[in-house]
Amino acid sequence: MSVVTEAVRSATGGGFRPPPYPYDRLASLKAMAGALPGGAVDCSIGTPCDPPPPAALEALATSGTERGYPPSAGSPAFRRAAAEYLGRTFGVAVEPSALAACVGTKEMVASTPHYLRLRDPSRDTVLYPSVSYPTYAMGATLAGCRPVPVPPADVDGGGLNLDAVDPHDARRALLLWVNSPGNPSGGLTDLDRAAAWGRHHGIPVLSDECYVEYTWDGPPRTILDAGDEGMVAVHSVSKRSNLAGVRAGFFAGDSALVGYLRDVRQHAGMIVPGPVQAAAAAAWADDEHVAAQRARYWDRLRLLATALSDAGIPTSLPAGSFYLWAVVPPRWGDGWALAEDLAKVSGMLVSPGDLYGPDGAGHVRVAVVQPAERLALVAERLAASGWG
Ligand SMILES: Cc1ncc(COP(=O)(O)O)c(C=O)c1O
């Protein structure tokens, strides 16, 4: 059980009360950063700032799909575009029937344990990376399941050390989440190994691939490269196409699992709005805007990694994602102290690493989701800080 979940349960006599939303805890830092001339530069939340592809906005406005109920699984055009995207990007062939829409991937991450538990009440455990997006653990809690973190394979928080999973937890596991490239560390996970481990233990592996376009070390990889038996890949237009505001994604893979989730989600009323399905289909069909976005993020990652390193916070470039995951130098003690000083001195808001689980403490995460000129302002302020 995660620390937050445990604290919430004991404080409420066992009944669930939602914990504070992780990023709400940054409000005081925001005020400090905002007090600087030129204002705050918010690199805390991974919310895109760049334009979506024009074809997606055009489709959003002109699809003519407002009147009727759209298919919960996704329109034929949506599913075809998503399947073609998988074929083009990874060379995997997925039948449109083994693919369905989700309302952005966060709700999919948060709701899937509940649905899988209904399917197999004999299992009650969700395995997920210990340094990770908080919704994996929250999804387990919302399902009344046990969130059981799996430690990273790498010292910097990337990958998964599946050998460390207790066989007792494995026997109870409903699913294993993997996330490669991973939030927050940007590390890559050995997906072939995760797939083999999941099959060996009879545990479905759900692979959150929302940052896959921003794979810097080698080609983009999907769990479906290892075949689809017991595997589900989850994708989103939020980060790929700067469309986090429209809420669309899809999941694809093992036909029995995808079919079950598709059907139960239809009963639950999980439907991507028709105009959004049209916009997402246009986004999946285009790769040019992704190439432009990759270049922007890569430039910004280099700019900020250099500025932080020069200021005495050694920061390496990630293997993937648009996050820098910097170790907190000893003079700051912990991620909150560094985040506070960065807010005061550079105006940059970053996320203390423990927002991504206790194993993330000792790091800060920097999302390069601000225009280059704003990041240059941070670099100037850092250069004037005298920290280096
Ligand atoms: C690892 C990970 N998965 C899923 C999401 C949610 O993305 P979406 O906008 O598709 O719900 C995020 C958002 O930051 C994320 O970091």
Side-chain angles (χ1 to χ4, degrees):
M1 189 175 292
S2 76
V3 171
V4 171
T5 312
E6 209 158 17
V8 169
R9 279 189 197 280
S10 61
T12 57
F16 178 67
R17 301 282 184 282
Y21 199 68
Y23 294 108
D24 291 348
R25 297 171 61 198
L26 300 180
S28 60
L29 304 187
K30 207 170 207 163
M32 289 174 198
L36 284 182
V41 181
D42 193 342
C43 295
S44 59
I45 304 183
T47 188
C49 71
D50 299 299
L57 299 183
E58 171 77 15
L60 189 63
T62 60
S63 71
T65 53
E66 294 82 6
R67 296 186 190 195
Y69 289 106
S72 168
S75 67
F78 176 101
R79 285 187 286 149
R80 198 169 45 249
E84 285 173 5
Y85 157 75
L86 289 177
R88 261 191 343 268
T89 310
F90 306 106
V92 295
V94 172
E95 288 299 318
S97 59
L99 183 156
C102 53
V103 191
T105 56
K106 184 175 174 110
E107 66 81 7
M108 176 90 198
V109 170
S111 63
T112 297
H114 176 57
Y115 299 144
L116 291 184
R117 184 148 201 223
L118 292 172
R119 185 177 184 239
D120 183 357
S122 73
R123 293 183 176 224
D124 68 350
T125 294
V126 174
L127 301 172
Y128 67 100
S130 70
V131 181
S132 64
Y133 182 55
T135 310
Y136 302 122
M138 181 51 73
T141 302
L142 294 175
C145 287
R146 301 160 66 229
V148 173
V150 180
D154 310 327
V155 279
D156 65 0
L160 280 184
N161 179 7
L162 290 164
D163 293 336
V165 177
D166 185 324
H168 174 73
D169 292 328
R171 272 194 300 277
R172 293 170 68 172
L174 277 168
L175 77 153
L176 165 69
W177 279 112
V178 296
N179 175 217
S180 181
N183 172 14
S185 75
L188 303 180
T189 298
D190 182 342
L191 295 178
D192 285 340
R193 161 111 179 83
W197 187 91
R199 285 192 187 121
H200 178 74
H201 290 88
I203 300 169
V205 179
L206 275 82
S207 177
D208 179 348
E209 299 174 0
C210 69
Y211 295 103
V212 73
E213 306 289 1
Y214 309 115
T215 304
W216 311 115
D217 286 3
R221 296 171 204 109
T222 174
I223 196 85
L224 303 180
D225 285 335
D228 60 8
E229 186 201 329
M231 304 294 129
V232 177
V234 183
H235 285 261
S236 170
V237 290
S238 294
K239 321 282 182 182
R240 179 180 189 271
S241 304
N242 302 325
L243 284 168
V246 306
R247 314 306 304 138
F250 71 83
F251 54 101
D254 184 288
S255 55
L257 270 170
V258 169
Y260 167 76
L261 290 169
R262 180 195 60 217
D263 292 351
V264 73
R265 291 170 56 84
Q266 182 179 22
H267 285 294
M270 306 306 291
I271 310 177
V272 176
V276 172
Q277 293 195 24
W284 295 123
D286 180 70
D287 297 327
E288 247 174 64
H289 72 284
V290 179
Q293 192 59 41
R294 275 174 59 87
R296 282 185 201 115
Y297 281 142
W298 185 244
D299 287 348
R300 293 176 195 165
L301 286 167
R302 285 193 315 171
L303 187 161
L304 263 193
T306 305
L308 286 164
S309 300
D310 289 349
I313 305 161
T315 305
S316 45
L317 290 165
S321 84
F322 49 65
Y323 300 115
L324 295 170
W325 182 237
V327 176
V328 177
R331 67 183 270 202
W332 277 284
D334 70 12
W336 284 91
L338 175 56
E340 183 172 329
D341 265 5
L342 281 171
K344 277 190 201 145
V345 170
S346 75
M348 178 166 69
L349 282 172
V350 304
S351 299
D354 66 357
L355 294 190
Y356 309 96
D359 289 352
H363 287 77
V364 294
R365 191 198 75 173
V366 186
V368 297
V369 291
Q370 295 292 337
E373 61 275 15
R374 298 295 291 162
L375 301 184
L377 174 63
V378 169
E380 270 170 41
R381 290 167 171 170
L382 282 173
S385 68
W387 288 354

